[in-house]
Amino acid sequence: MARFALVTGGSSGIGEQYLRQLAAEGRNVVVVSNRDDENRRVAASVRAEFGVEAEPLCVDLTEPTAAEQIFEFCEQHAIEVNILINNAGLQHVSLIEDFPIEKFEQMLQIMLTGPFMLTREVIPIFKKQQSGRIINMASINGLIGFAGKSAYNSAKHGLIGLTKVTALECATDSVTVNAICPGYVDT
């Protein structure tokens, strides 16, 4: 089995930049998002530019079986995940009293429940390998509050908490778990 880095939200923005950096370092990648055409475009571009394996995978992280679908795909394609980057996200800004509950739930599903489910699936793999890396894309929004961002702040605060717990639970198994908080500068 070939080793791969799996990046959710990998078809654009920060996720695509992480994919390209990993590929530039010679790592194979799985491009995961809910945009099939963009996944295929990025995978083809990465293969051509860096000469690594790049697999596109269209999955909607709001689906309860998304994590299972992702790891079934990996098994079917002889992909051994050794890096998981939970990056998928979206934004909606509205005051709490006007915030649509459906949008709130969607954002939590993509940015907190999705990473939990993927982490839950990958931990046994990493423990068996006695190695693995989980990187959760948090945000300064996970450290402080911003008006109009109740769902985003809630998801990112939760993701930082999930990162801390996962790191503690995996500490003796050579699995590292970190959260990256863009916008945060420790002075």
Side-chain angles (χ1 to χ4, degrees), residues 139-187:
S139 166
I140 191 167
N141 290 270
L143 301 170
I144 58 177
F146 290 92
K149 293 189 172 189
S150 58
Y152 195 83
N153 278 158
S154 296
K156 295 303 184 176
H157 272 80
L159 190 58
I160 291 171
L162 176 64
T163 301
K164 291 176 180 180
V165 170
T166 308
L168 289 170
E169 292 182 5
C170 294
T172 60
D173 296 295
S174 299
V175 177
T176 61
V177 186
N178 293 285
I180 297 175
C181 297
Y184 176 71
V185 178
D186 188 12
T187 56

Side-chain angles (χ1 to χ4, degrees), residues 4-158:
F4 280 74
L6 189 148
V7 183
T8 66
S11 67
S12 64
I14 293 172
E16 183 177 351
Q17 293 307 309
Y18 277 117
L19 269 168
R20 290 185 177 285
Q21 182 62 45
L22 289 162
E25 295 170 5
R27 297 185 188 274
N28 301 317
V29 294
V30 181
V31 184
V32 180
S33 84
N34 63 351
R35 300 183 303 177
D36 194 41
D37 290 343
E38 290 300 302
N39 292 345
R40 291 178 190 282
R41 176 193 61 78
V42 170
S45 172
V46 165
R47 280 192 297 268
E49 187 174 346
F50 302 107
V52 298
E53 293 182 54
E55 295 291 337
L57 176 58
C58 185
V59 174
D60 181 350
L61 290 178
T62 64
E63 293 295 322
T65 61
E68 293 167 12
Q69 291 173 40
I70 290 168
F71 285 98
E72 284 173 10
F73 174 88
C74 291
E75 188 174 311
Q76 292 167 359
H77 290 84
I79 292 170
E80 180 182 295
V81 176
N82 68 330
I83 299 171
L84 168 63
I85 300 179
N86 287 308
N87 171 73
L90 70 155
Q91 184 65 265
H92 181 84
V93 179
S94 178
L95 296 176
I96 291 173
E97 64 264 24
D98 299 323
F99 210 102
I101 188 68
E102 300 81 17
K103 182 59 74 176
F104 189 92
E105 290 173 348
Q106 177 192 33
M107 291 174 72
L108 288 181
Q109 183 67 34
I110 291 170
M111 295 185 291
L112 183 55
T113 306
F116 168 78
M117 297 300 287
L118 287 167
T119 298
R120 186 174 181 262
E121 289 288 325
V122 83
I123 284 175
I125 296 166
F126 286 177
K127 284 184 175 182
K128 184 177 179 185
Q129 295 170 182
Q130 283 293 293
S131 70
R133 309 290 173 253
I134 300 170
I135 301 167
N136 293 322
M137 285 306 301
S139 166
I140 191 167
N141 290 270
L143 301 170
I144 58 177
F146 290 92
K149 293 189 172 189
S150 58
Y152 195 83
N153 278 158
S154 296
K156 295 303 184 176
H157 272 80

